[in-house]
Amino acid sequence: MAECWKSKWLVKDYYPVEEAVKRQEISQRKAELMSCCVNEYKARWELCEVAEKYVKRLHTELQNTISVEHFPLASAHSSYKFFHQGSLRQYPFQSAYDLFAETLKEDVDGSFSVCLEPYYEVPMKKWRQVGKQYTQLLKQAKLDGTYPQLKKAEEQRLKTNLVWHKVGFSWIGMVLWTCQMEAKNDPLLRKQLVAYNKSLWEALSLGVSASGNLHGWAWHKGELLCTHKAGGIYRKA
């Protein structure tokens, strides 16, 4: 990922990913996924640059115990418990870069922290359903980048596929939630949110497509288990 970032924006005439594909070290699909991911990271950074001041302000308001009724409709109600978790700590960032870096740490930590749980299951069917539903949500975003309000049945389906009780506070979630409230009033923030939505849509769409032949997996007491081709049965990797 870092090499892909360098080749895109930092070093001229530098093609490590393309060369790795030629040497058959990675597949063409893997290279495309990496490219989409670094595009999303760049758009995320540019969004954080503009959004950080609003995130800091909202965090302060949450610490001052503004009630959930002050926040917009269902999105606030369904998300309140996560942002309440975040409001219990002091705002930890000195700059937009610090906020962006923390979202990357969350991505990396989240990819392996589940193995620390006694049991954690990741059915690929549910993951694909979440990916498809979220890409549709991004596709239906308004011109200012804000998301349409989900119907009750759609919201419940998303929660079920996400395994809602295991979803907790995240700073990228805080950024996007803040943007939903502030984008209409800030043209630059609106522009960056639209760009971020596009990059995330591209990454998720490709990820869902690439996952078609993958099977689910689970962690049980630190041991990786994979599903059989037929699905439903987890066995040692």
Side-chain angles (χ1 to χ4, degrees):
M1 293 289 287
E3 296 300 323
C4 186
W5 180 288
K6 285 166 61 177
S7 68
K8 274 178 171 284
W9 297 294
L10 299 179
V11 182
K12 292 183 179 180
D13 300 322
Y14 180 57
Y15 310 105
V17 176
E18 291 83 351
E19 291 169 1
V21 172
K22 290 179 181 178
R23 293 192 297 266
Q24 298 185 337
E25 294 173 355
I26 60 173
S27 67
Q28 182 62 43
R29 179 58 64 86
K30 178 73 171 179
E32 292 169 358
L33 283 168
M34 289 171 59
S35 179
C36 281
C37 284
V38 297
N39 287 344
E40 186 266 322
Y41 286 165
K42 184 172 184 288
R44 187 191 302 193
W45 158 239
E46 291 169 346
L47 181 62
C48 286
E49 277 190 293
V50 185
E52 192 269 340
K53 63 181 179 182
Y54 297 115
V55 174
K56 184 176 183 179
R57 185 174 71 188
L58 178 58
H59 187 274
T60 301
E61 291 174 351
L62 287 173
Q63 284 198 311
N64 292 334
T65 64
I66 291 180
S67 67
V68 71
E69 287 78 12
H70 285 74
F71 297 108
L73 303 175
S75 64
H77 178 71
S78 62
S79 305
Y80 182 69
K81 69 172 183 175
F82 308 124
F83 301 115
H84 177 65
Q85 292 173 15
S87 71
L88 296 177
R89 67 185 90 165
Q90 291 293 318
Y91 188 72
F93 309 120
Q94 299 298 317
S95 67
Y97 176 80
D98 292 341
L99 171 61
F100 168 67
E102 183 62 26
T103 70
L104 298 185
K105 285 179 64 178
E106 288 177 341
D107 285 355
V108 174
D109 290 349
S111 68
F112 68 83
S113 61
V114 293
C115 72
L116 302 177
E117 297 194 21
Y119 185 80
Y120 190 91
E121 185 178 316
V122 184
M124 286 306 299
K125 182 178 179 181
K126 282 190 175 183
W127 187 92
R128 281 191 289 270
Q129 289 171 342
V130 168
K132 289 178 180 178
Q133 189 175 3
Y134 200 46
T135 53
Q136 282 297 314
L137 188 65
L138 291 168
K139 195 173 182 179
Q140 295 166 10
K142 300 175 184 178
L143 294 178
D144 60 8
T146 58
Y147 309 143
Q149 185 178 350
L150 292 176
K151 295 179 181 178
K152 198 69 178 178
E154 294 173 328
E155 182 180 343
Q156 188 55 50
R157 187 167 71 252
L158 184 62
K159 286 182 176 181
T160 299
N161 290 329
L162 279 172
V163 191
W164 193 243
H165 67 281
K166 289 186 177 289
V167 178
F169 175 83
S170 72
W171 283 105
I172 186 59
M174 185 74 169
V175 170
L176 295 176
W177 192 53
T178 303
C179 288
Q180 296 305 296
M181 292 181 280
E182 300 292 347
K184 293 180 181 179
N185 304 315
D186 186 329
L188 182 56
L189 180 64
R190 186 162 59 243
K191 176 184 176 183
Q192 301 300 356
L193 178 59
V194 169
Y196 178 76
N197 286 345
K198 181 176 183 294
S199 70
L200 184 57
W201 178 85
E202 290 173 348
L204 277 175
S205 296
L206 187 57
V208 169
S209 175
S211 70
N213 296 322
L214 298 179
H215 304 292
W217 49 270
W219 285 99
H220 181 223
K221 296 181 179 178
E223 191 168 35
L224 180 62
L225 309 176
C226 298
T227 57
H228 187 261
K229 287 184 179 180
I233 301 175
Y234 291 96
R235 299 175 178 172
K236 292 183 181 181

